[in-house]
Amino acid sequence: MMPVMPAATLSASFEKTSVTVGEPLEGRAPSMRWVVIGLLVALAWLQYRLWVGEGSLAEVHNLKEEIARQGVELEQLRVRNRALMAEVQNLKAGQEALEERARAELGMVKEGETFYQLIGPAAAPAPAR
């Protein structure tokens, strides 16, 4: 608990520490300068980090563009994966898909079938100059 001081002593102690308007701060001026300088340095550092440093606005913008590009690529890969999964399911489920693939890609023929290859007319060679 604070000791109680007589009113005359209390007002006398205020008179010693009071400062009038317009009077220079003799003992406080250098410390205020350092505070202002420190605040300006902190402001400059924060501005540097905002515009140039790690996590800057430019870097955030570039990262957002990269995320958008990767999102488009990811969606294309998902579409391709769905098509491949459908093809795998089709190949597992029935013989028709297996036969179709064997005929188209490997040129295979069923037993008892006759294979006919049709050759179109040969292109006439271009006249030599």
Side-chain angles (χ1 to χ4, degrees), residues 24-34:
L25 299 174
E26 295 167 3
R28 299 181 188 180
S31 64
M32 280 300 276
R33 280 188 208 135
W34 286 110

Short mmCIF file of all heavy atoms in Angstrom, two decimals, residues 24-34:
data_model
loop_
_atom_site.label_atom_id
_atom_site.label_comp_id
_atom_site.label_asym_id
_atom_site.label_seq_id
_atom_site.Cartn_x
_atom_site.Cartn_y
_atom_site.Cartn_z
N PRO A 24 11.88 23.27 -23.95
CA PRO A 24 12.59 22.13 -24.52
C PRO A 24 12.76 21.01 -23.50
O PRO A 24 12.92 21.26 -22.31
CB PRO A 24 13.94 22.71 -24.94
CG PRO A 24 14.10 23.96 -24.16
CD PRO A 24 12.72 24.46 -23.83
N LEU A 25 12.72 19.79 -23.99
CA LEU A 25 12.91 18.63 -23.13
C LEU A 25 14.40 18.39 -23.03
O LEU A 25 14.99 17.71 -23.86
CB LEU A 25 12.19 17.41 -23.70
CG LEU A 25 10.68 17.54 -23.85
CD1 LEU A 25 10.13 16.33 -24.56
CD2 LEU A 25 10.03 17.70 -22.50
N GLU A 26 15.01 18.94 -22.02
CA GLU A 26 16.47 18.88 -21.90
C GLU A 26 16.98 17.46 -21.72
O GLU A 26 17.83 17.00 -22.46
CB GLU A 26 16.93 19.77 -20.74
CG GLU A 26 16.65 21.23 -21.00
CD GLU A 26 16.80 22.06 -19.74
OE1 GLU A 26 17.18 21.51 -18.70
OE2 GLU A 26 16.54 23.27 -19.80
N GLY A 27 16.50 16.75 -20.78
CA GLY A 27 17.01 15.41 -20.50
C GLY A 27 16.38 14.33 -21.37
O GLY A 27 16.90 13.25 -21.49
N ARG A 28 15.28 14.64 -22.00
CA ARG A 28 14.54 13.61 -22.75
C ARG A 28 14.77 13.68 -24.26
O ARG A 28 14.44 12.77 -24.96
CB ARG A 28 13.05 13.75 -22.47
CG ARG A 28 12.74 13.55 -21.01
CD ARG A 28 11.28 13.68 -20.78
NE ARG A 28 11.03 13.66 -19.34
CZ ARG A 28 9.86 13.75 -18.81
NH1 ARG A 28 8.81 13.85 -19.56
NH2 ARG A 28 9.72 13.72 -17.51
N ALA A 29 15.29 14.71 -24.79
CA ALA A 29 15.43 14.89 -26.23
C ALA A 29 16.26 13.78 -26.88
O ALA A 29 15.83 13.22 -27.88
CB ALA A 29 15.99 16.25 -26.56
N PRO A 30 17.42 13.43 -26.38
CA PRO A 30 18.19 12.37 -27.05
C PRO A 30 17.47 11.03 -27.04
O PRO A 30 17.52 10.30 -28.01
CB PRO A 30 19.50 12.31 -26.26
CG PRO A 30 19.61 13.63 -25.59
CD PRO A 30 18.20 14.07 -25.33
N SER A 31 16.78 10.70 -25.98
CA SER A 31 16.10 9.41 -25.95
C SER A 31 14.93 9.38 -26.93
O SER A 31 14.67 8.36 -27.55
CB SER A 31 15.62 9.09 -24.53
OG SER A 31 14.65 10.03 -24.12
N MET A 32 14.23 10.51 -27.12
CA MET A 32 13.14 10.57 -28.09
C MET A 32 13.69 10.44 -29.51
O MET A 32 13.07 9.82 -30.36
CB MET A 32 12.36 11.88 -27.95
CG MET A 32 11.37 11.88 -26.81
SD MET A 32 10.15 10.60 -27.01
CE MET A 32 9.02 11.42 -28.08
N ARG A 33 14.86 11.02 -29.76
CA ARG A 33 15.47 10.90 -31.08
C ARG A 33 15.74 9.43 -31.39
O ARG A 33 15.51 8.98 -32.50
CB ARG A 33 16.77 11.70 -31.15
CG ARG A 33 16.54 13.15 -31.35
CD ARG A 33 17.85 13.87 -31.60
NE ARG A 33 17.70 15.24 -31.15
CZ ARG A 33 18.56 15.91 -30.43
NH1 ARG A 33 19.70 15.36 -30.07
NH2 ARG A 33 18.32 17.14 -30.07
N TRP A 34 16.25 8.70 -30.41
CA TRP A 34 16.56 7.29 -30.63
C TRP A 34 15.28 6.48 -30.86
O TRP A 34 15.27 5.55 -31.66
CB TRP A 34 17.36 6.71 -29.47
CG TRP A 34 18.78 7.19 -29.49
CD1 TRP A 34 19.37 8.04 -28.62
CD2 TRP A 34 19.77 6.86 -30.46
NE1 TRP A 34 20.67 8.28 -28.97
CE2 TRP A 34 20.95 7.55 -30.11
CE3 TRP A 34 19.78 6.07 -31.59
CZ2 TRP A 34 22.11 7.46 -30.86
CZ3 TRP A 34 20.95 5.98 -32.33
CH2 TRP A 34 22.10 6.67 -31.97
#
